Amino acid sequence: MKKSKYLFVLLLLISISVVLLGGTFFYVKLNNKQSDDSELLVMTSCNPVYLATINVVGDAEGVTVQNLSQPTTGCLHDYTLTTEDMKNLSKADVLIVNGGGMEGYLEDVVEAYPNLPIIDTFEAVEEDYPVIIEEEAEEEEEDHSHGTSEEHHHDEGANSHIWMSEEIYAGQVQAIADGLAALDSSNASVYASNADTFISVMDSQIDNQGLDETLSGANVAVLHEAFAYTAQSLGANIVATMDLDEERQVSAGEVSDFIDAINENNVQVVFAEYDYGHAMGELITEQTDAKVVYLETLVHGDYSGLDYITVLNKNYAVIKNSL
């Protein structure tokens, strides 16, 4: 009786071992098949670049587009690559970035994967499109608690939120098509055709609600540097800027100067991002006649298809309804 029991247990253990070994074999075989696959894996750095890329790639044969994971809050400038990001990059054939300093982790990527091709869309458009260059500024801020002054230096550089201008974004779309064509000549004509189609759709479907006439030459203020491109697209003059984020410490002097600029320049509307601009927006509403509108920057969320057009149209509608 005992022998039969031991024999049964032995056979059971052997069966389990065979199943596990078989499963492992097929798992490894499947992974090896995937790693040997000739598909082109395109990684993108952020949602605006992802949207442009999926429209350029379309149904191109053998091409997969994947976006790096993104924070639900916070600035893209400060985003740190996750372990999953690094794993995905190790399999990527190309990384497409916004550029202009937006991806603060880019040096780490280059160091870790020196042979990974990178398509820098900012670099591709900066010479031919109206990229906003921030002039070097030096300001003194009085520390009222200690009675001392403190100097703050802002290095000269470009405003890298270029996707907020549909004109520049069209240039980014074209740069992505050109970059992918150089890496994947078999789909070059597909990329070119898709880029032309998407740019044409943008031209026909983005509706600025006539704001390019209403706000042309008008004075506006912004609480997020991304919306400097919104103002530029509408021909408005920016008379006050305060770039707010989770780490930005705003002094009483800055707030006072910003409020004064709005009142002195007859500012009609202030462009803000809700998460970081709401508190300041309430203060502006209390102390000025300007309308504060909360717009989207397209950096967060699960976007797909033509959502770039949808979000821009939503922004323009919000502005229009505030006037």
Side-chain angles (χ1 to χ4, degrees):
M1 187 75 177
K2 287 185 178 180
K3 288 183 179 179
S4 298
K5 181 178 180 181
Y6 291 145
L7 181 61
F8 172 76
V9 172
L10 179 61
L11 290 173
L12 181 62
L13 291 174
I14 292 173
S15 298
I16 292 172
S17 297
V18 170
V19 171
L20 290 174
L21 286 172
T24 301
F25 171 78
F26 285 113
Y27 176 78
V28 171
K29 185 176 181 181
L30 177 63
N31 278 352
N32 286 339
K33 180 180 179 181
Q34 289 176 341
S35 63
D36 292 337
D37 202 330
S38 60
E39 274 204 354
L40 184 74
L41 176 57
V42 180
M43 295 297 300
T44 59
S45 65
C46 58
N47 282 325
V49 175
Y50 173 75
L51 288 178
T53 303
I54 61 173
N55 278 286
V56 167
V57 170
D59 58 357
E61 187 175 353
V63 185
T64 300
V65 181
Q66 185 174 335
N67 196 37
L68 291 175
S69 56
Q70 296 296 328
T72 55
T73 61
C75 180
L76 285 176
H77 291 289
D78 303 321
Y79 181 66
T80 302
L81 292 173
T82 66
T83 302
E84 186 68 19
D85 289 334
M86 296 302 285
K87 179 181 176 182
N88 290 332
L89 284 168
S90 71
K91 303 174 184 177
D93 296 296
V94 58
L95 172 64
I96 306 178
V97 301
N98 181 79
M102 181 59 67
E103 295 86 358
Y105 54 77
L106 203 52
E107 289 185 4
D108 295 333
V109 174
V110 173
E111 183 177 350
Y113 306 108
N115 296 321
L116 177 64
I118 296 176
I119 299 174
D120 187 324
T121 62
F122 184 95
E123 193 175 80
V125 303
E126 62 179 329
E127 295 296 330
D128 300 319
Y129 290 85
V131 172
I132 297 174
I133 303 298
E134 298 165 346
E135 296 180 358
E136 185 175 357
E138 181 178 300
E139 61 185 24
E140 290 189 0
E141 182 180 291
E142 187 75 18
D143 186 339
H144 297 286
S145 61
H146 297 88
T148 60
S149 64
E150 183 180 341
E151 289 188 356
H152 296 273
H153 299 273
H154 302 282
D155 294 332
E156 182 180 2
N159 183 333
S160 54
H161 299 78
I162 52 176
W163 66 86
M164 292 301 294
S165 161
E166 54 262 43
E167 178 186 357
I168 302 178
Y169 193 66
Q172 290 182 276
V173 170
Q174 188 61 58
I176 291 169
D178 293 343
L180 288 177
L183 293 170
D184 178 24
S185 59
S186 63
N187 281 311
S189 60
V190 177
Y191 300 140
S193 177
N194 288 344
D196 288 344
T197 298
F198 183 48
I199 292 171
S200 294
V201 171
M202 285 174 56
D203 288 341
S204 64
Q205 294 191 14
I206 292 178
D207 180 8
N208 67 17
Q209 305 284 319
L211 291 169
D212 55 337
E213 295 182 3
T214 305
L215 291 180
S216 179
N219 293 332
V220 301
V222 298
L223 291 176
H224 191 299
E225 64 179 351
F227 303 131
Y229 283 106
T230 304
Q232 182 191 72
S233 295
L234 300 176
N237 299 321
I238 300 174
V239 297
T241 301
M242 186 180 292
D243 189 32
L244 302 179
D245 59 38
E246 70 272 26
E247 297 181 352
R248 182 82 158 85
Q249 298 297 318
V250 181
S251 71
E254 285 181 281
V255 172
S256 178
D257 289 345
F258 195 85
I259 296 293
D260 288 345
I262 290 175
N263 286 324
E264 292 169 3
N265 291 281
N266 191 31
V267 169
Q268 300 181 49
V269 61
V270 178
F271 302 151
E273 192 269 347
Y274 186 87
D275 288 342
Y276 306 121
H278 186 242
M280 185 65 183
E282 290 186 335
L283 188 62
I284 292 169
T285 300
E286 292 173 2
Q287 299 189 18
T288 77
D289 294 327
K291 299 292 182 62
V292 180
V293 294
Y294 298 101
L295 310 176
E296 294 186 42
T297 61
L298 277 153
V299 297
H300 305 306
D302 184 18
Y303 297 113
S304 60
L306 299 179
D307 279 358
Y308 176 82
I309 296 170
T310 301
V311 172
L312 249 62
N313 282 343
K314 179 181 177 181
N315 281 352
Y316 289 139
V318 170
I319 297 170
K320 178 68 172 182
N321 292 335
S322 74
L323 299 176

